[in-house]
Amino acid sequence: ETGVTQTPRHLVMGMTNKKSLKCEQHLGHNAMYWYKQSAKKPLELMFVYSLEERVENNSVPSRFSPECPNSSHLFLHLHTLQPEDSALYLCASSQGTTVVTQYFGPGTRLTVL
Amino acid sequence: AQSVAQPEDQVNVAEGNPLTVKCTYSVSGNPYLFWYVQYPNRGLQFLLKYITGDNLVKGSYGFEAEFNKSQTSFHLKKPSALVSDSALYFCAVREENAGNMLTFGGGTRLMVKP
């Protein structure tokens, strides 16, 4: 549980606010991920960073902006969000690019008013 | 393209009875298959994975899963359910050459009643 941490755990923001989600992994991994978990929907992969370079962006709206300053930290910058963006945002990390078990943080519960 | 299906939104089982949570997949080549569990207000926890070798994979908390290539299934099982097993379970698949990309199923809620 403490291998991947996320802050804040809960966030309420208005549509005009700017906020950031933070993820930190203490596992020595070299890849990090952002997922969106909405009610009654499969997990949606948003971004993948491998060796601090973005390798995947699944057509996520530009109001979500990731940043990976080093292999241990990952941010998700939020601005002008919509109410439908309310969800649980999960961070994960893994080591390598072959058989990758991803390890997840506890998530940030985001509510957009 | 890889995909995974969990046909049951919810599975109910009495404590002490065996449980099965179903998962079927579709990939172009060889699959790598995973099960994760999510407890309330927590992230996903890794349970077990199949890469190659024995079709029966043993994982955490007494869970196991059986890989069946002909039926393209990877059902999660436990011989005797506990109330504390109640949670949301996710199956995930990755094709052999798909890099870091996992595709998750929609999840199955397991309810174990005393």
Side-chain angles (χ1 to χ4, degrees), chain A residues 13-76:
Chain A
M13 59 187 289
M15 289 190 285
T16 58
N17 290 157
K18 288 185 179 182
K19 296 286 184 183
S20 295
L21 309 185
K22 179 182 176 182
C23 176
E24 185 173 357
Q25 60 96 0
H26 311 274
L27 301 170
H29 289 167
N30 60 7
M32 297 185 77
Y33 313 74
W34 279 117
Y35 287 88
K36 177 183 178 183
Q37 185 178 22
S38 305
K40 299 184 179 181
K41 279 187 172 182
L43 262 70
E44 301 172 52
L45 178 63
M46 301 175 72
F47 301 103
V48 180
Y49 275 83
S50 181
L51 299 173
E52 302 163 37
E53 289 187 17
R54 188 191 304 177
V55 296
E56 190 68 30
N57 173 357
N58 286 347
S59 302
V60 176
S62 59
R63 56 186 184 268
F64 294 92
S65 174
E67 179 190 0
C68 188
N70 55 62
S71 60
S72 299
H73 294 85
L74 184 66
F75 295 89
L76 188 62

Side-chain angles (χ1 to χ4, degrees), chain B residues 19-94:
Chain B
L19 69 87
T20 298
V21 182
K22 295 180 180 177
C23 172
T24 58
Y25 65 90
S26 175
V27 296
S28 299
N30 292 321
Y32 297 146
L33 294 152
F34 301 79
W35 275 102
Y36 285 84
V37 60
Q38 186 178 31
Y39 297 101
N41 301 314
R42 308 278 280 277
L44 275 67
Q45 293 180 35
F46 169 73
L47 272 180
L48 52 81
K49 66 183 176 186
Y50 170 83
I51 306 302
T52 185
D54 288 342
N55 289 343
L56 187 64
V57 179
K58 295 188 182 296
S60 307
Y61 312 120
F63 283 93
E64 57 189 27
E66 186 169 11
F67 171 64
N68 187 318
K69 188 171 184 177
S70 63
Q71 296 185 5
T72 61
S73 67
F74 190 56
H75 300 332
L76 181 70
K77 300 181 179 184
K78 187 173 181 181
S80 178
L82 300 172
V83 173
S84 57
D85 292 329
S86 299
L88 191 56
Y89 290 81
F90 291 94
C91 181
V93 69
R94 207 206 94 197

